[in-house]
Amino acid sequence: MPSFDIVSKVDLQTLDNAINTVKKEITNRFDFKGSHVEIELNKKELVLNIEVDSDMKLGQVLDVLVSRTMRQGLDASIYDLSKEPYQSGKVFKKEIPVRNGIKQEDAKKIVKMIKDAGLKVQAAIMDDIVRVTGKKIDDLQEVIQKAKEANLGIPLQYINMKS
């Protein structure tokens, strides 16, 4: 029976390259000369820590971060930018979690979206993967199309297509 998996994985090497590119661009920019900017990726916890002098510079760093990430081929929605920055002394700090894997509630939304589409496929949640099986490959391709159109707020990849 044909099947495929819906996942949300981040390539750590590509993410690291994007962050190194951001660091390099920030150090070369004239408006950041002599100012405190620190960007650090915690690879174990998948959290990006940013420290800057002012709130305005934080916004500029985030703009550069999103544009460089997209140029590296990653989806900009891998960053959870919902947390507000906080001030610690003279610096502004922001912790940005990197989304890796599909959370349980997001997986349930995906399964519900597939069932509401009325296609003859089955969707099963397996940890942080949603496996979709069906009798026809055309139905599976339609599920991929529906998932792309759904705009769930998380970056999705479609892997392990088996016929």
Side-chain angles (χ1 to χ4, degrees):
M1 234 168 141
S3 68
F4 73 94
D5 297 335
I6 300 175
V7 296
S8 179
K9 299 255 187 246
V10 176
D11 182 20
L12 281 178
Q13 186 61 49
T14 308
L15 179 63
D16 197 35
N17 290 345
I19 291 170
N20 288 334
T21 307
V22 169
K23 287 180 187 176
K24 197 175 285 185
E25 182 174 329
I26 294 296
T27 55
N28 291 333
R29 281 181 52 166
F30 179 75
D31 54 342
F32 281 95
K33 290 280 189 236
S35 61
H36 174 76
V37 177
E38 202 172 294
I39 303 169
E40 180 186 322
L41 174 66
N42 184 339
K43 291 183 182 177
K44 285 187 178 178
E45 297 176 21
L46 282 176
V47 175
L48 185 64
N49 295 310
I50 299 176
E51 282 186 22
V52 291
D53 289 344
S54 67
D55 199 24
M56 183 183 79
K57 288 185 180 176
L58 179 64
Q60 292 174 341
V61 169
L62 291 177
D63 287 344
V64 172
L65 177 70
V66 168
S67 68
R68 292 295 172 231
T69 301
M70 292 176 74
R71 280 194 186 162
Q72 290 284 339
L74 295 172
D75 195 334
S77 61
I78 62 170
Y79 301 117
D80 184 8
L81 299 172
S82 61
K83 274 190 174 180
E84 289 296 316
Y86 58 94
Q87 192 168 5
S88 176
K90 292 185 176 180
V91 295
F92 282 84
K93 296 182 177 184
K94 183 166 176 98
E95 286 185 356
I96 303 172
V98 178
R99 295 179 179 136
N100 193 22
I102 299 176
K103 292 181 184 167
Q104 199 68 25
E105 61 266 8
D106 292 331
K108 287 179 181 177
K109 285 181 193 174
I110 293 170
V111 170
K112 184 180 182 329
M113 182 263 316
I114 291 170
K115 288 188 179 191
D116 290 347
L119 300 169
K120 293 185 178 181
V121 294
Q122 290 82 38
I125 301 171
M126 307 168 102
D127 286 334
D128 60 348
I129 295 172
V130 177
R131 175 152 297 155
V132 182
T133 58
K135 291 185 178 179
K136 298 179 183 173
I137 290 183
D138 293 343
D139 290 340
L140 298 180
Q141 289 173 337
E142 199 169 329
V143 168
I144 292 173
Q145 199 60 40
K146 295 264 188 215
K148 286 180 180 177
E149 293 169 359
N151 193 12
L152 298 165
I154 54 173
L156 297 176
Q157 294 90 32
Y158 312 96
I159 61 171
N160 294 340
M161 179 69 104
K162 297 176 184 164
S163 52

